[in-house]
């Protein structure tokens, strides 16, 4: 395998709106990120992915872009962005931006022009169909609820949006659209960006000609995934994009790819793959239900383990997946993947270690390094996320009371991850001197960066140790390039695996509150990491404490 500059890096996702507010308007911004670069450097991360901060009406928090060449004034200016890139570079850090090109905003100039002249050049930038009274072009349900078709203002046509109606899908079949996309990517890469995270990319190829599928809910619509399963030929678009952009710059790219098949993995992330890496979402779909969030099942430790190993086996040494515990679209991982009694410092560190030592690139989402938890939303008024609002409605329609519907959907709300970063015990968690745009999690007085800074036993200190271990020249080769082999796989509530390279490492997590023992096949040479003060050895047998994590060299 050809070595790449990003193989041994650790990435960190910033949700700009909620990271740090520098000017007291209650909204995080780019100068705020700049002022926290030393915090990030101290943590040890190298690659910073910023969720979108382009000009946007914010219907979907910036995932609806109205100008790909400008920074939204809420977040700062182009100059701020350039300064961020430069100051990160001085610290040997790389900036990734979010490439949102499955769709733009309905306030983008292209869409405005399409409304003015649907049969002209810009009409062909979108998927337009003639409007027929009482009939939709297809029966597909958008990700955020309701049909994917909306009237094109001022015309007798309708346009396709697989996400929100303010996010019209771009027609990738049109070479002019693709040219615009490549031009923009290169414009940013010329500014010294490290690369891009690539949003919702699996949606760019549609199954043509459009047709209906079997409805799967009482609304008579079907999940958009039905159409996507049938779509072929996305590789032509992705390969072209790689060659015209990322490849020329040796840039890093990580795709938001769902439902890939095993045989497609080499195409996506192999030696000359479309992307440098792609996220592993296998854990995030555990317990999912077609009916909606209200019907999702909690994830058990055994299911979590199974999901991780499934991906590891599927990918092998073909390439590098990007491993996450959470992101801006998911609830907090510690609230989701740990049993209730495990949502404590020991459990949080265990989950961190189990995820971090998997083969692939570790991505940390802001606040994860502090053990930030889901937010108790007490009223639907406190929720901003369009996806949660839709799922709340779905739960109400299924017959739940408003109170129960809120309780059920807030377990999965994207806003759990979007509450302001908890910097300190000061008002509003030290995030802003103004009124925060979204509720601050009331537990900030206990969970915050400042109080964990000088505590060697804090979750934050544990993350620093994990990152330092990955970078330790003695172990780096094994952790980055070594193989992964599950061990004691059938043991209930135990997740354990080998990492084998020039060293032999064993990662063991006791995924329960009760102790359990394992017997090592050979003597332990070194304890590289332990989330407890001691280890209860008896010869080669170790009795693991509740949620104990060990990283051993054998
Ligand atoms: C991706 C983003 C999500 C957004 C959607 C539409 O899934 O991560 O936040 O809502 O795409 O752009
Ligand atoms: Ca601000």
């Amino acid at each position: 395998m050809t070595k790449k500059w990003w193989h041994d890096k650790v990435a960190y996702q910033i949700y700009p709106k909620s990271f740090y507010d520098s000017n007291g308007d209650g909204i995080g911004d780019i100068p705020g990120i700049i002022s926290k670069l030393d915090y990030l450097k101290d943590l040890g991360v190298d690659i910073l992915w910023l969720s979108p901060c382009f000009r946007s009406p914010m219907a979907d928090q910036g995932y609806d872009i109205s100008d790909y060449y400008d920074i939204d004034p809420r977040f700062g200016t182009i100059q701020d962005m350039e300064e961020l890139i430069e100051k990160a570079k001085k610290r040997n850090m790389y900036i990734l931006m979010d490439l949102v090109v499955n769709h733009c905003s309905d306030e983008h100039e292209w869409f405005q022009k399409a409304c003015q002249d649907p049969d002209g050049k810009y009409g062909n930038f979108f998927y337009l169909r003639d409007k027929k009274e009482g009939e939709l072009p297809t029966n597909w349900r958008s990700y955020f609820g309701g049909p994917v078709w909306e009237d094109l203002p001022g015309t007798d046509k309708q346009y396709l949006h697989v996400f929100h109606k303010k996010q019209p899908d771009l027609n990738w079949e049109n070479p002019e659209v693709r040219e615009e996309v490549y031009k923009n990517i290169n414009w940013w890469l010329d500014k010294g960006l490290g690369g891009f995270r690539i949003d919702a990319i699996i949606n760019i190829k549609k199954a043509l000609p459009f047709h209906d599928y079997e409805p799967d809910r009482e609304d008579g619509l079907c999940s958009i995934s039905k159409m996507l399963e049938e779509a072929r030929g996305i590789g032509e678009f992705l390969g072209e994009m790689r060659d015209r952009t990322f490849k020329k710059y040796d840039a890093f790219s990580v795709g938001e790819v769902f439902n890939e098949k095993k045989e497609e993995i080499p195409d996506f992330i192999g030696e000359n793959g479309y992307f440098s890496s792609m996220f592993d979402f296998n854990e995030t779909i555990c317990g999912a239900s077609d009916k909606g969030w209200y019907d999702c099942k909690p994830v058990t430790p055994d299911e979590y383990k199974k999901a991780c190993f499934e991906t590891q086996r599927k990918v092998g040494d073909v390439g590098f997946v990007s491993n996450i515990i959470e992101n801006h679209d998911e609830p907090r991982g510690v609230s989701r993947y740990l049993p209730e009694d495990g949502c404590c410092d020991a459990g949080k560190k265990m989950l961190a270690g189990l995820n971090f030592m998997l083969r692939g690139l570790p991505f940390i989402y802001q606040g994860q390094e502090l053990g930030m938890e889901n937010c108790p939303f007490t009223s639907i008024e406190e929720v901003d996320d369009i996806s949660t609002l839709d799922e709340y409605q779905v739960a109400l329609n299924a017959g739940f009371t408003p109170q129960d519907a809120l309780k059920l959907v807030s377990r999965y709300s994207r806003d759990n991850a979007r509450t302001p970063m908890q910097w300190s015990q000061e008002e509003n968690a030290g995030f802003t001197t103004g009124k925060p745009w979204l509720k601050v999690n009331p537990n900030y007085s206990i969970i915050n960066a400042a109080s964990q800074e000088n505590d060697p036993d804090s979750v934050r200190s544990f993350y620093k140790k994990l990152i330092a271990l990955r970078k330790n020249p003695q172990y780096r080769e094994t952790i980055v390039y070594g193989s992964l082999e599950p061990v004691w796989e059938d043991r209930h509530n135990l997740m354990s695996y080998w990492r084998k390279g020039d060293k032999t490492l064993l990662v063991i997590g006791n995924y329960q509150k009760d102790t359990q023992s394992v017997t090592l096949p050979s003597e332990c040479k070194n304890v590289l990491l332990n989330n407890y003060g001691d280890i209860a050895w008896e010869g080669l047998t170790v009795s693991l404490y509740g949620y104990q994590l060990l990283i051993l060299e054998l």
Side-chain angles (χ1 to χ4, degrees):
M1 173 176 294
T2 320
K3 294 206 166 162
K4 290 287 189 183
W5 64 264
W6 44 267
H7 281 164
D8 60 357
K9 300 291 183 272
V10 177
Y12 187 95
Q13 181 188 354
I14 292 177
Y15 196 69
K17 200 168 181 185
S18 301
F19 193 60
Y20 185 66
D21 174 21
S22 71
N23 60 356
D25 65 357
I27 296 176
D29 44 54
I30 297 172
I33 300 172
I34 295 173
S35 73
K36 295 294 184 185
L37 280 175
D38 288 328
Y39 168 85
L40 298 164
K41 188 68 198 169
D42 172 70
L43 189 62
V45 297
D46 317 277
I47 295 178
L48 306 177
W49 152 30
L50 272 56
S51 277
C53 35
F54 306 92
R55 202 176 266 274
S56 164
M58 299 279 161
D60 185 22
Q61 295 304 354
Y63 284 92
D64 47 319
I65 298 175
S66 56
D67 186 348
Y68 290 94
Y69 292 91
D70 203 4
I71 296 296
D72 195 277
R74 295 174 185 85
F75 297 129
T77 61
I78 286 273
Q79 288 72 37
D80 292 330
M81 192 65 207
E82 287 167 347
E83 186 184 332
L84 173 62
I85 295 171
E86 189 194 310
K87 293 204 163 145
K89 203 165 267 170
K90 280 208 180 99
R91 292 168 174 81
N92 288 320
M93 292 161 111
Y94 304 81
I95 303 291
L96 307 184
M97 289 179 90
D98 213 316
L99 187 71
V100 188
V101 288
N102 171 66
H103 45 267
C104 59
S105 160
D106 65 342
E107 296 182 32
H108 194 287
E109 184 187 10
W110 298 333
F111 191 80
Q112 301 293 321
K113 288 186 175 160
C115 297
Q116 283 152 21
D117 180 13
D119 299 315
K121 169 177 158 104
Y122 290 100
N124 196 28
F125 268 47
F126 301 93
Y127 290 101
L128 306 184
R129 293 291 181 272
D130 290 333
K131 188 176 171 175
K132 290 194 199 118
E133 227 21 82
E135 194 188 325
L136 294 170
T138 63
N139 68 341
W140 312 339
R141 183 186 309 107
S142 81
Y143 288 104
F144 297 146
V148 297
W149 297 100
E150 189 70 26
D151 292 352
L152 187 70
T155 72
D156 53 3
K157 294 192 189 292
Q158 295 190 305
Y159 67 93
L160 176 80
H161 61 90
V162 303
F163 290 93
H164 192 260
K165 63 178 182 212
K166 285 187 69 66
Q167 295 168 300
D169 281 52
L170 287 166
N171 176 10
W172 272 69
E173 304 290 339
N174 178 355
E176 286 179 288
V177 167
R178 304 204 298 274
E179 287 305 319
E180 288 289 352
V181 170
Y182 307 152
K183 191 173 94 189
N184 180 254
I185 297 175
N186 292 336
W187 189 83
W188 281 107
L189 290 176
D190 279 334
K191 291 195 180 293
L193 269 194
F196 282 95
R197 174 265 187 181
I198 302 165
D199 183 72
I201 195 68
I202 234 58
N203 297 282
I204 63 172
K205 185 77 193 183
K206 275 66 170 167
L208 289 160
F210 291 168
H211 62 90
D212 285 353
Y213 299 85
E214 193 66 37
D216 53 21
R217 286 188 196 168
E218 276 169 14
D219 58 8
L221 305 175
C222 75
S223 158
I224 197 78
S225 61
K226 298 268 168 52
M227 178 276 287
L228 292 174
E229 272 161 34
E230 209 175 83
R232 294 285 173 276
I234 194 171
E236 280 160 43
F237 295 158
L238 298 179
E240 183 183 84
M241 174 161 72
R242 170 200 59 210
D243 294 341
R244 297 284 307 279
T245 62
F246 312 127
K247 201 169 178 175
K248 298 193 288 181
Y249 294 81
D250 196 21
F252 174 76
S253 59
V254 52
E256 188 191 24
V257 178
F258 278 96
N259 299 331
E260 71 288 348
K261 297 184 192 70
K262 186 173 168 32
E263 58 276 15
E264 291 171 339
I265 290 174
D267 297 340
F268 276 91
I269 55 167
E271 188 81 39
N272 188 34
Y274 310 136
F275 306 124
S276 313
S277 180
M278 64 188 188
F279 289 107
D280 174 27
F281 292 116
N282 212 22
E283 301 85 52
T284 69
I285 53 179
C286 276
S289 161
D290 286 345
K291 294 186 194 160
W293 291 357
Y294 73 83
D295 191 48
C296 290
K297 301 278 168 305
V299 184
T300 66
D302 290 344
E303 284 164 345
Y304 182 80
K305 165 172 72 178
K306 187 165 165 262
C308 291
F309 288 165
E310 225 169 61
T311 297
Q312 291 287 322
R313 286 199 167 98
K314 204 158 110 175
V315 176
D317 61 1
V318 167
F320 289 84
V321 280
S322 288
N323 295 306
I324 57 160
I325 288 180
E326 63 213 28
N327 65 24
H328 68 293
D329 290 331
E330 302 294 335
R332 290 287 179 177
V334 295
S335 302
R336 182 185 207 173
Y337 302 124
L338 291 169
E340 222 168 286
D341 59 31
C343 194
C344 55
D345 282 6
K348 291 172 180 179
K349 293 174 193 170
M350 178 206 70
L351 186 65
L354 289 176
N355 186 269
F356 211 85
M357 291 295 288
L358 292 170
R359 194 177 183 285
L361 274 158
F363 268 72
I364 300 169
Y365 178 74
Q366 69 183 41
Q368 181 188 320
E369 76 278 21
L370 308 175
M372 277 180 67
E373 298 171 4
N374 275 358
C375 184
F377 293 104
T378 51
S379 144
I380 195 69
E381 308 297 314
E382 286 176 350
V383 174
D384 167 88
D385 169 33
I386 46 178
S387 190
T388 312
L389 297 175
D390 167 55
E391 293 285 350
Y392 176 72
Q393 203 52 51
V394 171
L396 291 180
N397 295 346
F400 290 95
T401 63
Q403 211 183 356
D404 286 345
L406 177 68
K407 204 169 145 207
L408 286 167
V409 301
S410 56
R411 293 178 306 178
Y412 299 98
S413 175
R414 307 198 293 181
D415 279 351
N416 286 304
R418 298 177 180 185
T419 61
M421 175 78 172
Q422 292 164 210
W423 291 106
S424 70
Q425 284 184 7
E426 283 160 43
E427 205 181 345
N428 298 321
F431 161 71
T432 178
T433 53
K435 184 176 172 341
W437 74 276
L438 188 67
K439 177 177 175 168
V440 177
N441 192 319
N443 68 12
Y444 74 87
S445 54
I446 304 160
I447 300 176
N448 64 71
S451 70
Q452 295 191 19
E453 183 171 7
N454 297 314
D455 173 2
D457 292 327
S458 67
V459 176
R460 175 174 166 190
S461 298
F462 195 79
Y463 267 92
K464 284 174 73 168
K465 288 179 206 164
L466 271 171
I467 296 169
L469 175 61
R470 186 176 161 91
K471 299 196 170 176
N472 180 330
Q474 270 194 293
Y475 299 104
R476 186 172 52 206
E477 281 289 311
T478 304
I479 296 177
V480 174
Y481 296 103
S483 67
L484 182 143
E485 292 168 29
V487 55
W488 303 306
E489 204 174 345
D490 299 331
R491 286 275 298 265
H492 177 51
N493 288 354
L494 183 85
M495 178 163 164
S496 184
Y497 51 88
W498 296 107
R499 294 301 317 274
K500 291 182 181 169
D502 53 350
K503 306 274 188 210
T504 299
L505 309 182
L506 182 61
V507 181
I508 318 174
N510 178 23
Y511 215 136
Q512 63 179 19
K513 127 175 149 293
D514 299 327
T515 58
Q516 69 174 315
S517 306
V518 294
T519 301
L520 305 187
S522 63
E523 209 171 312
C524 167
K525 286 193 213 152
N526 266 314
V527 177
L528 304 184
L529 217 53
N530 175 9
N531 61 349
Y532 273 80
D534 69 320
I535 302 181
W537 292 109
E538 243 193 77
L540 289 181
T541 300
V542 47
S543 170
L544 297 154
Y545 303 118
Y547 301 105
Q548 187 165 21
L549 173 94
L550 295 174
I551 304 177
L552 308 174
E553 181 181 358
L554 263 64

